[in-house]
Amino acid sequence: MKDTAAVILAAGRGTRMKSEIPKVLHPILGKPMIEYVIDTAKEVGVGDIIVVAGFGKELLKDALKGTKVVIQKELLGSGDAMNAVRPALGRFGGDVLVMCGDAPLLERDTLKNLIKRHRASQASATVLTANVNNPTGYGRIVKDSRGFVAKIVEELEADITQKCISEINTGTYCFKAKELFGALDEIKPDNKKKEYFLTDAIAVLHKRGKRVEAVAVEDADTAIGINSRRDLAEATKILKEKILNSLMDSGVTIIDPSTTLISPDVRIARDTVIYPNTIIERGVDIGGYCRIGPFARIRSGVRLDDMVEIGNFVELVRTRVGSRTKIKHHAYLGDAAVGADVNIGAGTITANFDGKKKNKTIIEDGAAIGVGSILIAPVEVGAGSTVGAGCVVPKGRNIPRGATVVGVPARILKKVHS
Ligand code: UD1
Ligand code: CA
């Protein structure tokens, strides 16, 4: 697929979002919309990936370090956005896969199939379409008598009959690069929005006697374009269900999927049980036979070994927890490394932030932290030691192995090893 370049259109203002942030940077389950699109393009294995930025371009460039970004100077429509990539593609003679930064749910196999079909048919362009119950807002696919795509009519331009067409343009296409740019030279902003529509290139190609094919996506839900906050919520719902289903299929129990939020890129091993009202953020890694929740919030950078128990109202961030450790009620652990077989009492808090930077707390194997303790980082709690209830352990006052400490500030009551 290296002879296919992907262009991701993301310059649009996203007016319907009512936002000062570029639409494509709005996150879905903690991951910016456009990152889904870029990741899928990478999974497809295309050559170059080029993002077209415009509205909020600086924010977008900052968020997409390592990705090629070209700027559309004036937001004159999706057709004009494609023209902005011309210099970057140079004399490229392969295929261009055009994607929209606001269609994050499209799947790798759908795109692979689109490219495969495009090549097999030798078409000048192949449009990824979807058959939907409610086509409102999308461009409608108008076909000729032979079943080829004759044109795409935008919602605002469609007449009553066209509005009844339920096959819509997903905004994803495969073009022969040279033919696309040839056709773009002919499009005009002669529509209600006064924009250069990329979709008008389809009609130009058809008029030139070129072949334009439609390939329908199997699952229309994966093709939705996010234009409003409502669409964002809808996409979150669809993606969330997909993530939870795939975890359940792999052997994880999720007691109440309707109140469980798990981000993408979370790994959970078999026989772990997730209780209701639990939130697990991006990149978290959870072992097998764990019990998580109810009402737990596991944030990014957390890694739990097997058989860990995390109970209600526990928040963890950037923290590692060893096997069989229990953190069962009302606790906050940030930037901590907790060993195996540790018991963290109710209400334990690691004070990881000193106002300037985050500091580490180390709790070694077999330690017991009494209820209501505050561990002020950086601090280390030795293996097998005990921190009494209500203790405040000041920063740097490391607790030796096997010791027992009590009080505010913590003092050693009993020292087993020195
Ligand atoms: C577009 C399609 C429509 C399709 C729908 C699928 C056009 C004219 N229409 O409509 O047929 O059904 O997507 O979701 O393309 N963009 C730019 N620069 C611009 C304008 C837009 O880069 O000047 C980008 C946007 O960031 C977006 C994409 O192009 O990623 C589509 O623009 P958008 O305004 O969302 O078009 P729709 O009205 O949704
Ligand atoms: Ca859109």
Side-chain angles (χ1 to χ4, degrees), residues 173-192:
Y173 330 73
C174 232
F175 287 97
K176 285 184 176 159
K178 294 223 158 91
E179 303 204 18
L180 166 64
F181 292 123
L184 284 177
D185 285 336
E186 263 188 49
I187 65 170
K188 293 185 187 70
D190 51 5
N191 49 62
K192 295 203 177 84

Side-chain angles (χ1 to χ4, degrees), residues 8-16 23-24 52-55 72 74-82 99-103 135 137-141 152-155 168-173 191 193 195-200 223-227:
I8 301 173
L9 302 181
R13 182 170 282 279
T15 317
R16 290 161 279 182
K23 172 167 76 174
V24 297
V52 185
F55 177 71
Q72 181 188 8
E74 271 183 275
L75 304 182
L76 302 176
S78 51
D80 178 67
M82 271 317 291
M99 304 166 78
C100 286
D102 66 354
Y138 291 100
R140 311 297 205 279
I141 303 293
I152 297 175
V153 184
E154 293 305 303
E155 173 84 30
I168 58 106
N169 170 25
T170 64
T172 307
Y173 330 73
N191 49 62
K193 282 181 150 180
E195 285 187 2
Y196 292 88
F197 288 162
L198 170 57
T199 44
D200 285 349
I224 62 169
I226 315 292
N227 294 315

